[in-house]
Amino acid sequence: MAFDIPSLKTEDKPMVIASAFILVILSIGTVYTLSTQGSAPLLSPGYLLQQLQTGSFLGIVAAGMMVVILLGHIDLSVAWTMTAAAMMATTVGGEWAIPTGIAVGAAVGLVNGFGVAYLRVPSMIFTLGVDSVLRGLMVAHTGGFAPQDSATPLMRTLASDRFLGIPSAIFVWLAVSVVIAVMLKRTAFGREIYVTGNREVAAYLSGIRTRRVILGSFVVSGICAALAGVMLAGYSARAYQGMGNPFLLPAIAAVVIGGTRILGGQGRYIGTLIGVILIVLLNSVLSIMQMPEAGRQVIYGSVIISMLLVYGRGNKVHS
Amino acid sequence: PEIVSGPGVDPACFAPWNADTKYMQWPTKAGPYKVAVVNGFVGNGWRIQMIKTAKAFAEDPAMKDKIAEFKVVSTGTDAPAQLGAIEDFINQGYDAIVTIAVSPDGFDRVIRLADKNNVVLVPFDNVLDTDKVMQVNEDQLKMGRMWAQFALDELKAKGVTSGKILEVRGLPGNSVDRDRSIGINETFKADGGNWEMVSVVGNWDDGTTQKVVADAIAVHGQFDAVVGQGGSNGVIQALMDAGHPWVPVAGESENGYRKAIAKYSDEGLKGISIGQSPGLVAIAMKAAVSALEGNVMPQLISVPLPVATYKDLEDGKNYWSDLPDNFFTVNEFPPCGVNISGPSIMAQSEADVK
Amino acid sequence: MPIDSPIVKLSGVSKHFSGTRALEGVDFSCRSGTIHGILGENGAGKSTLIKILSGVLQPDAGTIEVSGEAVRFSNPDQAAVSGIVCIFQELSLVPDLSVADNISIAAPPRTRFGLIDKRAQNRRAEELLARIKCEDVDPNSLVRELSLSRRQMVEIAKALGKDPKVLILDEATSALTSRDVETVYGLLAELRAAGVASLFISHRMHEIDKLCDMLSVFRNGQHIETFAKGAHSEGEIVKLMIGREVTAHYPPKPAPVPKPAYLTIDKLAWEGQLKGIDLRIGKGEIVGLGGLDGQGQKELLLGLFGVLRGLQGEVAILDNPCRPGSPAEAKSAAMRIALVPEDRKTEGLMLAMSIADNLLAASYDRVSDGPFINQDKARQAVSEGIAKLQIKVASPDDIVSTLSGGNQQKVVIAKWLMTDPDVILLNDPTRGIDVGTKQEIYKLIRELADRGKTILLYSSDYAELIGCCDRVAVMYDGEIVAKLSGGAITEEAIVAASLNVGTQSSLPAAGARHG
Amino acid sequence: MADKRSALATNMRQNVAFYSAIAMLVALYLVYNMLHPRGFSAAVLIQNSNESVAIVFLAMAQTVPVLLGGLDLSVGAIMTLANCIASEVVNGSPLQIVLGMIITLATGTAFGLVNGLIVVYGRLQPIIATLATGAVAVGLALFIRPVPGGNVDDDISWALTNDLYEFVDTYGLFDADAGWFQTISWIPVPLLIVVMIAFGVWLPFKRTVTGRTIYAIGSAEGAAYMSGLPIDRAKIAAFTLAGFFAACGGLYLAIQTSSGNADITQAGAYTLNSIAAVVVGGTSLLGGVGGAIGSLVGALILRVISFYFRIVSIDPLLQPLVEGLVLLVAVSLGAFRTLRVKNQLNLFR
Ligand SMILES: Nc1ncnc2c1ncn2[C@@H]1O[C@H](COP(=O)(O)OP(=O)(O)OP(=O)(O)O)[C@@H](O)[C@H]1O
Ligand SMILES: Nc1ncnc2c1ncn2[C@@H]1O[C@H](COP(=O)(O)OP(=O)(O)OP(=O)(O)O)[C@@H](O)[C@H]1O
Ligand SMILES: [Mg+2]
Ligand SMILES: [Mg+2]
């Protein structure tokens, strides 16, 4: 491939290791279920498809998050972007529900992008502020008269129906994945994201409109979060306060476990995909094993650390 | 306050927790009073409904004249900020402070200051592990027991005496979660049937609950009953999506959950709904004012559990089929003169209120 | 220690980097009280040699002796303890710390409590700066606030403060003004008299020639020869360095014909750093920008390229106003301006990305169909770019940082040539580049001019201005103080104008020593 | 003299962000006190000090890794861990109490040390390494304290959360009513603790080579290495110090609430607020510029803003929105500098 990010070997390592780890998780879970109930439901297509279905919401958020992380930025507003998009979508209802939700995401992305690219406030802090503004808006929104919160039939269809026996949410995730992967790899915008993420000043002096690239990336992230929020509302059949909260940290973790450099510039989409599956399965297996919260947190942290330690061998920080 | 002997004022409203409950009395103050509500976390439906109820109750004719100044602040899950806010209101000369504690412990200092300044501090909902303040709550342990007993009774009626029960827990580390879970588990244990308890953590959140219930179903196949502490909409959704047959379900008081029970009880969704009511805030406010008026008050006020089973659900009365799923149906407590119904403050438009 | 035994002696030193042979069995020594020049083209292994000497890198094989004792340095600190101190190009100053902090960074004076003694540190900084005649630098100011040339002087002060026995300067004078260069020469002579050995790396022949007693030539990771100054002619040295004969340094200039203005600059002013620049450059003309460092030359280039806000005055291409608001606009079809920036490592390249990605960075619109990149066009553009500048690459997918300095610079230039610009702004494009590569770049610049490009070239090396440019504009304090053309472009004229001698009566203190 | 003045001017110019943060804090706090019915009283000062200690310590903790150019996402978790440990061990005889405090601080510091070791020898990006170790810390806290509670010694709790008078009185150190003592007896102990640790630990540390190396790394790591600075040691020290400050926060929290609470949400909120405080206090997230004292001020600014909700009447359901907007504006204030930049290359640092 002529235009891959270089040094495929180190880039492939995360995918291979993460994939292997997914197998380890499944084996541990299966050993557990075999010993406690004498069956191996984790290996059944039903269970796996369901994991992919619930994973698709995280997957879509993580896809957007990855684009922003490739720039060396981060989007901490995805939690309430999801919620706001879902709540506005159900409030509006009808056929305009989904477009409204997506528009909310795009608008949030524009605000984030404006703050980060034009005002040059660090994304870590600007998106945090936007997140709390969104939360405030949603509290105020419910604080007036309680809005309609039921998902529209189309939202339900997208998120919880099945098509050819496969949950339709997986198709949506797949579609988003294809779009993001092609965008990153085959479009000028995608390459400009990598270039800007590597060294913004050099990108700027190369005549790349880096501010628009940043703005665009935050819009992508906002739209992805909004889509995930709308889908999640479809899955739960309703939108509610705080519904996006459980997604922020896993999304970041998935991107990083997938081998994307947290400082930007390097990473492949396929890694994020694998990272999402890993996180979803890990959570699910821990839940099945009825692991108490304390153990769950410790395992979660240790997994991330140990995987990164395995990937990171040999990348010296100096120079 | 002084520890006095009972009975207290208006026992229909301010019921003592049990026979051992102490009684307290504050020096009478002349009204109208300055009252503050110090909330912790804001950003879920329950808290929003609670705040709206508080605002509405402060405007209620029964209270309006007694309240000179009324403030609500939300400090987030930040113990020092909440303690600081309470202390600030004490320093500002407020007469009563109603609060949902972010932690069941750690209020010693503000309790001491409140007592020193004759300020009535009333924790409710998430109450404190202390008997030094007047508190208002529903009995969480009893709630757990009732849920479990209901499920057991329904199963017995079907002739089932053993099987798998799914317990959906709430926020780890929270005392409410702990008490409810103890109630549930001790009841099943005491029953003598052969019950296998599978427990998952749903954080009282619809989405999380739905996911963990779906996972549990995928792994365990089928359950004979589900006892969920919260996120009941999520429980129902997961059962429906998995094509799980309807079984007895115990849960909270979300409108959506009650709608589902009403709709599917004939198909086997034998449900019980017991709510932790956002209306507790109104009782806490009323108790605070009553204490300021010099009445004898129980230290721990037990608000009756608002129970509704599939047998007694009635559209337009204890659930509303045309209203959104997310609000909590139980909001009013007629014995206390708290008549702010869920729909009246959580309705979609001005028209729905009427 | 006998005076003529070497202070540093390397025997059989080899260093390999994944696949590249940077040094191979090098024997090298130098003596106290000499100034020892090290020559070689880009990638010859000079920097690697001195990095090994100064403890930044560790050799794969071979031994190092200092004053006859075998040593092994695992970091620069240990080398400094042995008296080996290295001045890197600009690498070792911390921009957000003050000058005084930087000068005493690793071993500051301490108070009774073992804490850094700020006052003593300031005093020390003042003394050292005074020694290199940089009294104008405030020890309290941040290094970030200084110009590149001042930073290099601070770097020298910092090295001096370590009391070196062996002082290494790796292209440490590349951005110095001529006045500072004189100071450094004086300093080196002083140190030589005090018995210090200096190792001096530069790509500027005349500097080496003027300064050094001994010369060592490296090529391809090998030590070719060490000889006393004067033992070889300049031509012979160049031949040793690049292994072939070099005929002429600069491509011949065409006869000076007045050309109609293509790029017109009128009363350009900015923030007190540009004070009404008037300049006309014709199509096919190479105009040089000269002068001391920091007189507004860089700002002029940046201004033309759309980087500066709040510019006053007029710029036009032919008769169309041309005031880009950003580099993106500057490179657009309407203006077609390109800028090869000053610092290729931070401003020119994405060091962690492939050569191909770097080459394409300015021309995605040219290789795309709609939003999508056409893989074939892209591949073709990349190979054309590599071919045009004869960039030595194993594969376009290699990471650009694996190229040598000269080839990296070619990548930056090629990136811009791929956009087919009409106006090319070059900001010191040959800094730190070896003679051979320099020649290629000069040739390329001339070819571009011959093809009708308009070229504005800033260089810190006046020999380059003389050899390359049709006309030269010398800047002083934000103004153009002299415009030279044809035979008038001489070293004397440029130096005089740089110091603003003759155009203004009051000589700046800086010029006094020079005039 | 002229020299001094110009040095001062240089200092002002180089620390604009810090000095404007101080000015902002003073203005905000003065107005709050003027609006407060009992403004400018010791009671209000004590109350405000108490609620600020934890966040101030966390902001200082966050500062050190930020100066390196990294972020420590585990500070809130370390605080929580320390809080839970303290709730177990800070009781008994005075000696046991002191020992308990030392154990608490040592554990937090050790956790920071582990962070540092992972970052340095594991060669991981701090932000992601600490995201993971933070989860581990919260997990450990939950093991120690599955439900909130604990019994921190009542006397120490009372003595450390009041003014000096009560402190002296509680422990009968000397006659608290002594005349000479009156002038300082109103000073809140929490304020004193913060000031002592901030100035007693941070300022000296900043003037060590290790401390300066932290700045150098954040500013230009390559240069720091070339200059022979102890990079690894400084990085480890930075995270260790962060662990120490976070543990101070956790310990105080335990003393203040006489209990421990392994609250995951609270840990996360504190971590994020610490970053906001660092930014508001004038420390650059890119590293190399700023300091813990600035972050102390930044944390206080954020806190004082929240005080206003208790004074000014704002619809409770609009409060989160107002709070969010204020935070957004506060962190965007630096943008004015950006808008004034004339050479766009200066935007990219
Ligand atoms: N860190 C490294 N990794 C891989 N290869 C390296 C590294 N450093 C140097 N090299 C290789 O070693 C060779 C010598 O490089 P070195 O920097 O010593 O050359 P140089 O003589 O200093 O060149 P220049 O004149 O450009 O400074 C180069 O070909 C380069 O490819
Ligand atoms: N990761 C790497 N892999 C391969 N070669 C490298 C790598 N990093 C650096 N190099 C080589 O090392 C040399 C860089 O060495 P150094 O940092 O001394 O710069 P330099 O060549 O002296 O640059 P300049 O000429 O601009 O001063 C380059 O010539 C390059 O060929
Ligand atoms: Mg070199
Ligand atoms: Mg070089």
Side-chain angles (χ1 to χ4, degrees), chain D residues 171-201:
Chain D
Y171 288 106
L173 297 180
F174 49 82
D175 178 15
D177 292 310
W180 65 270
F181 190 53
Q182 296 310 308
T183 44
I184 55 164
S185 66
W186 57 273
I187 297 177
V189 178
L191 194 67
L192 218 55
I193 293 175
V194 165
V195 169
M196 265 165 31
I197 294 193
F199 290 79
V201 175

Side-chain angles (χ1 to χ4, degrees), chain A residues 11-245:
Chain A
E11 282 240 316
D12 280 340
K13 219 157 127 192
M15 334 269 138
V16 175
I17 296 168
S19 306
F21 204 82
I22 289 177
L23 296 181
V24 172
I25 294 174
L26 281 177
S27 325
I28 292 177
T30 301
V31 168
Y32 176 84
T33 55
L34 277 176
S35 65
T36 54
Q37 56 190 94
S39 62
L42 299 200
L43 304 180
S44 72
Y47 171 81
L48 292 174
L49 282 177
Q50 185 196 314
Q51 291 311 308
L52 289 179
Q53 180 183 13
T54 44
S56 61
F57 314 120
L58 178 62
I60 294 172
V61 181
M65 183 68 83
M66 178 194 177
V67 173
V68 172
I69 290 183
L70 276 178
L71 281 171
H73 289 294
I74 200 157
D75 185 354
L76 296 186
S77 72
V78 292
W80 282 89
T81 306
M82 287 175 77
T83 309
M87 289 183 66
M88 296 322 290
T90 56
T91 301
V92 169
E95 59 195 35
W96 282 102
I98 296 181
T100 305
I102 304 290
V104 167
V108 173
L110 279 175
V111 174
N112 280 331
F114 176 77
V116 175
Y118 289 82
L119 301 182
R120 297 199 76 81
V121 182
S123 56
M124 188 88 199
I125 199 77
F126 194 84
T127 56
L128 180 66
V130 168
D131 191 59
S132 43
V133 168
L134 286 172
R135 184 180 50 144
L137 283 172
M138 288 308 106
V139 168
H141 176 60
T142 308
F145 285 98
Q148 181 55 256
D149 60 8
S150 314
T152 62
L154 181 58
M155 284 160 74
R156 296 281 299 142
T157 306
L158 278 182
S160 34
D161 281 359
R162 281 172 179 253
F163 180 68
L164 302 175
I166 294 174
S168 45
I170 298 178
F171 291 106
V172 179
W173 183 17
L174 218 59
V176 170
S177 296
V178 169
V179 170
I180 298 282
V182 168
M183 181 192 88
L184 287 180
K185 215 171 173 125
R186 292 275 183 258
T187 68
F189 176 60
R191 300 317 298 170
E192 287 171 356
I193 290 175
Y194 282 96
V195 171
T196 308
N198 256 292
R199 195 168 277 282
E200 192 178 355
V201 64
Y204 171 75
L205 284 176
S206 298
I208 290 173
R209 297 182 191 272
T210 53
R211 290 196 290 203
R212 286 192 208 171
V213 173
I214 296 173
L215 187 80
S217 301
F218 274 98
V219 171
V220 169
S221 173
I223 289 178
C224 284
L227 179 61
V230 168
M231 301 254 305
L232 185 63
Y235 176 68
S236 305
R238 63 188 64 75
Y240 54 93
Q241 299 277 346
M243 59 195 285
N245 291 351

Side-chain angles (χ1 to χ4, degrees), chain B residues 1 10 25 45 47 90 120 135 150 162 164 168 199 208 216 231 250 261 265 290 300 304 323 352-353:
Chain B
D10 194 4
Q25 190 171 27
R47 296 290 173 115
I90 294 174
V120 180
Q135 316 200 64
F150 171 84
S162 70
K164 266 188 197 172
V168 186
S199 95
T208 311
I261 297 176
S265 68
S290 167
L300 192 51
L323 291 184
D352 286 333
V353 180

Side-chain angles (χ1 to χ4, degrees), chain C residues 42-43 46-47 89 170-171 201 203 344-345 405 431-433:
Chain C
N42 293 123
K46 309 178 295 291
S47 297
Q89 210 158 325
D170 186 2
E171 297 180 49
I201 301 180
H203 289 289
R344 63 174 167 272
K345 290 202 168 149
R431 166 132 58 91
I433 284 182

Side-chain angles (χ1 to χ4, degrees), chain C residues 84-103:
Chain C
I84 300 180
V85 174
C86 183
I87 302 173
F88 302 96
Q89 210 158 325
E90 64 186 287
L91 251 175
S92 74
L93 290 184
V94 178
D96 290 307
L97 291 181
S98 72
V99 169
D101 281 343
N102 267 288
I103 287 178

Side-chain angles (χ1 to χ4, degrees), chain D residues 109-122:
Chain D
T109 312
F111 202 92
L113 174 68
V114 172
N115 275 340
L117 293 174
I118 291 177
V119 166
V120 168
Y121 295 108

